Amino acid sequence: MVSIAIVGGGIAGLAAAWQLSTHADSVEVIVLEGSGTAGGKLRSAVVGGQSVDVGAESVLARRPEAVQLLQELGLPTVHPDRVGASIWSRDALHPMPAGTLMGVPGKPADLEGLLSEDELARVADEHSVSVDGDVAIGVLIERALGSAVVDRLVEPLLGGVYAGHARELSARACMPALLTAADTGESLTAVARRVSEASTARAGEPVFASIEGGLGQLPSVLVAALQERGVSIRLDTPVTEIAVEGSGWRLQAGGPVRDESLTVDAVLCAVPAAPTARLLRSVAPDAAAALADIDYASMALVTYAFPSAESAAFAGSSGFLVPPVDGRNIKASTFSSSKWPRLGQARPDLTFVRVSFGRHREVASLQLSDAHLAWDGLADLRKALPGQVPAPVAAHVQRWGGGLPQYAVGHVERIAGVRESLAAYPTLALAGAAYDGVGIPACIGSARAAADQLIAALR
Ligand SMILES: Cc1cc2nc3c(=O)[nH]c(=O)nc-3n(C[C@H](O)[C@H](O)[C@H](O)COP(=O)(O)OP(=O)(O)OC[C@H]3O[C@@H](n4cnc5c(N)ncnc54)[C@H](O)[C@@H]3O)c2cc1C
């Protein structure tokens, strides 16, 4: 029997534990989670008497990893209603342009209404861009199509995924297809057309998925399935040190009240970059230094429950994104009851709407009290939908300090360097949002790869 400790019980740590418990024989798996609950950024809370997601709410269904995990757990998937989204730009709600690749249009006409005549003319006059290595997505698109596309479309779309700045996020890490296009001399709009045509060909397949009751239910289902397979899950057990001990590892965990030391054959580290850097400081100082430089964006979500009798304005749309250039309080709003039919069915009397605050380095709005934040969100909803937003019957604030890693220019090379520094330790593996993608499928993919690395190393 060999033993493997997994540090961190977010989706990456839990998925790694699942991979090990289903693919390896004679392995003792121990998950050490620092907080009092497993799941990390997957969480639900009760708002107005109804359980709603207050973290991640859906997985990309067109990547295999997450839907496969749901299938393995025997969880039927549910899909959002196909209702359109909008952009709240220059004081008006515009339908989200169709056929764009993260905001890059297939043709300038796709952006009519959202951009001015001059801005559209600049998009039509696409410049060819040559690149030398990685570049920020916003810089690449701005050079090719002008600044308005970046400010009004790319920025809010990327903000929804990374809570970051388009002119700082790495094209190689976040939108490799655009960097390849620039490298090979293909126009960015041609790539957008190609990708959008491929996506139209799959129009019948759902793009996003969740589970009955919401994605926030997944951690408890996964924990129960893991415990059934003999995996030990220890909550309130932050790991403070990882050190080499003989051919294995010694972990220091717990705190001043309950300090414990654990000796294992292998370690899978599935915590964000900053704690990973602290844990690796003495074992692999170069990898630790590279990871310590990965910044995170903090954010907050406010979920409102409105009386449905006065909430017609939220029907028939999944919500809207907000270009940061307009200087609003909120970054986006999701009309959850319109997007997820199960919510409308469970609580026809209430209409759930959530708004998000915070971008990388923009923390002023997050320093407000919960009541102030909820009030600011409501004020913006009322500006976007004048005269149509009633008083909420309940509001819930969820803060996500260090919510999303920022893949800065050079991220892919940085992570390759980290892996190279750790090559001497095949029984130490890394997984999670800091590495190969922040979405849940990517986190599960990295968890499987890390688990497989350990299985191979221990064989
Ligand atoms: C508000 C929000 C909404 C999102 N929405 C979506 C979405 O709809 N779809 C999507 O695909 N992605 C979404 N994402 C991204 C995605 O949810 C995350 O990237 C992903 O869940 C990260 O998983 P993880 O396991 O890598 O890390 P985490 O979820 O951060 O888990 C890490 C765990 O490690 C624990 N930990 C930290 N330090 C220690 C230590 N020293 N010892 C032990 N444990 C420790 C933490 O307590 C935590 O439980 C969203 C992210 C946020 C913040």
Side-chain angles (χ1 to χ4, degrees), residues 6-14 32-42 54-60 160-161 208 215 234 237-241 270-272 275-276 278-279 296-297 299-301 339 354 356 398 400 402-405 431-434 437-443 446:
I6 296 176
V7 185
I11 190 63
L14 297 178
L32 305 163
E33 164 56 41
S35 74
T37 26
K41 273 88 188 183
L42 277 66
V54 293
E57 57 153 17
S58 62
V59 299
L60 194 59
V161 181
F208 295 104
L215 209 56
R234 302 196 196 161
T237 311
V239 176
T240 53
E241 198 187 329
V271 297
T276 307
R278 284 194 291 275
L279 293 173
Y296 274 66
M299 54 218 281
L301 299 179
K339 188 169 176 185
R354 79 182 196 179
S356 61
Q398 177 66 51
W400 290 108
L404 283 160
V438 302
I440 291 164
C443 293
S446 80

Side-chain angles (χ1 to χ4, degrees), residues 232-254:
S232 157
I233 303 202
R234 302 196 196 161
L235 303 178
D236 293 314
T237 311
V239 176
T240 53
E241 198 187 329
I242 298 178
V244 175
E245 180 145 304
S247 62
W249 301 90
R250 186 180 49 74
L251 276 67
Q252 204 62 37

Side-chain angles (χ1 to χ4, degrees), residues 1-5 247-249 263-267 427 458:
M1 187 84 146
V2 291
S3 54
I4 300 180
S247 62
W249 301 90
T263 307
V264 290
D265 297 298
V267 179
T427 55
L458 292 172

Side-chain angles (χ1 to χ4, degrees), residues 68-403:
Q68 230 169 48
L69 178 66
L70 299 179
Q71 267 164 15
E72 286 170 15
L73 291 165
L75 292 170
T77 49
V78 298
H79 306 284
D81 258 4
R82 286 185 179 243
V83 284
S86 310
I87 298 239
W88 183 30
S89 176
R90 293 173 170 135
D91 294 324
L93 287 170
H94 305 264
M96 179 70 71
T100 80
L101 173 60
M102 202 47 108
V104 174
K107 46 187 191 318
D110 294 341
L111 308 186
E112 271 170 16
L114 183 66
L115 300 195
S116 70
E117 288 299 319
D118 286 354
E119 290 163 349
L120 284 172
R122 174 63 184 87
V123 176
D125 178 29
E126 180 168 1
H127 298 181
S128 85
V129 181
S130 65
V131 288
D132 181 18
D134 196 8
V135 63
I137 305 175
V139 170
L140 177 65
I141 299 174
E142 184 166 18
R143 281 193 213 146
L145 302 166
S147 58
V149 178
V150 178
D151 289 338
R152 303 256 152 224
L153 207 52
V154 178
E155 200 75 89
L157 281 163
L158 272 179
V161 181
Y162 293 94
H165 299 262
R167 291 176 180 84
E168 294 177 21
L169 290 166
S170 153
R172 196 188 298 291
C174 307
M175 293 292 299
L178 294 182
L179 194 69
T180 309
D183 247 348
T184 56
E186 189 182 17
S187 78
L188 302 193
T189 46
V191 186
R193 273 196 302 280
R194 194 157 36 77
V195 173
S196 144
E197 275 160 25
S199 158
T200 309
R202 300 176 67 183
E205 299 169 33
V207 182
F208 295 104
S210 179
I211 55 174
E212 210 49 65
L215 209 56
Q217 306 302 317
L218 177 59
S220 56
V221 175
L222 199 38
V223 163
L226 287 168
Q227 284 170 333
E228 222 168 83
R229 300 188 76 86
V231 173
S232 157
I233 303 202
R234 302 196 196 161
L235 303 178
D236 293 314
T237 311
V239 176
T240 53
E241 198 187 329
I242 298 178
V244 175
E245 180 145 304
S247 62
W249 301 90
R250 186 180 49 74
L251 276 67
Q252 204 62 37
V257 178
R258 187 175 53 85
D259 194 17
E260 60 178 296
S261 181
L262 192 76
T263 307
V264 290
D265 297 298
V267 179
L268 195 154
C269 206
V271 297
T276 307
R278 284 194 291 275
L279 293 173
L280 296 185
R281 212 161 25 202
S282 62
V283 175
D286 290 349
L291 290 172
D293 278 345
I294 298 179
D295 255 3
Y296 274 66
S298 294
M299 54 218 281
L301 299 179
V302 183
T303 305
Y304 304 94
F306 293 108
S308 291
E310 300 166 67
S311 299
F314 300 116
S317 165
S318 63
F320 58 83
L321 297 177
V322 187
V325 70
D326 281 349
R328 305 291 185 184
N329 298 316
I330 62 172
K331 304 296 171 222
S333 177
T334 305
F335 300 170
S336 310
S337 292
S338 297
K339 188 169 176 185
W340 299 103
R342 65 181 163 76
L343 271 180
Q345 285 152 14
R347 289 302 298 268
D349 57 324
L350 292 179
T351 294
F352 295 94
V353 173
R354 79 182 196 179
V355 297
S356 61
F357 292 83
R359 268 206 315 167
H360 183 211
R361 289 193 309 272
E362 293 172 7
V363 292
S365 63
L366 304 179
Q367 286 158 355
L368 301 171
S369 67
D370 284 6
H372 201 144
L373 209 56
W375 184 249
D376 277 357
L378 194 60
D380 269 2
L381 283 176
R382 287 181 169 152
K383 282 182 197 148
L385 299 162
Q388 301 172 78
V389 179
V393 299
H396 173 276
V397 176
Q398 177 66 51
R399 294 173 188 270
W400 290 108

